[in-house]
Amino acid sequence: MARVSTITQSVRDLADGRDHFEVDAPTVRALLAELERRHPGLGHHVREPMAIAIDGELHQDAWDEALAPDAEGVLVPRIAGG
């Protein structure tokens, strides 16, 4: 199972205080669907203002990115540029 953690209070607020999750998901899209199933509103929240670092590589809008069973993910706020 992939292990996903977060550094943001907004995710913890939507996930009953949790800051990490064990998720069996083959892609980022499936991961978000599972987070939404477990904690309604969380998947949508992560999809909009956040990015995910998978095994140390930052991804934005990478819904079809594969997740290895032992993947480490970190949910982080998107980086805006100007």
Side-chain angles (χ1 to χ4, degrees), residues 18-36:
R18 297 193 62 184
D19 65 355
H20 67 278
F21 312 89
E22 298 284 334
V23 181
D24 186 16
T27 65
V28 171
R29 185 183 313 276
L31 167 79
L32 295 178
E34 180 59 18
L35 291 177
E36 181 69 25

Side-chain angles (χ1 to χ4, degrees), residues 35-55:
L35 291 177
E36 181 69 25
R37 185 190 71 73
R38 292 181 189 181
H39 305 283
L42 181 56
H44 177 72
H45 174 72
V46 170
R47 192 175 300 112
E48 296 301 319
M50 303 199 74
I52 184 169
I54 303 168
D55 296 327

Side-chain angles (χ1 to χ4, degrees), residues 53-75:
I54 303 168
D55 296 327
E57 185 176 331
L58 188 61
H59 298 270
Q60 293 188 144
D61 302 325
W63 314 128
D64 295 321
E65 186 71 31
L67 291 176
D70 62 345
E72 293 282 334
V74 180
L75 302 172

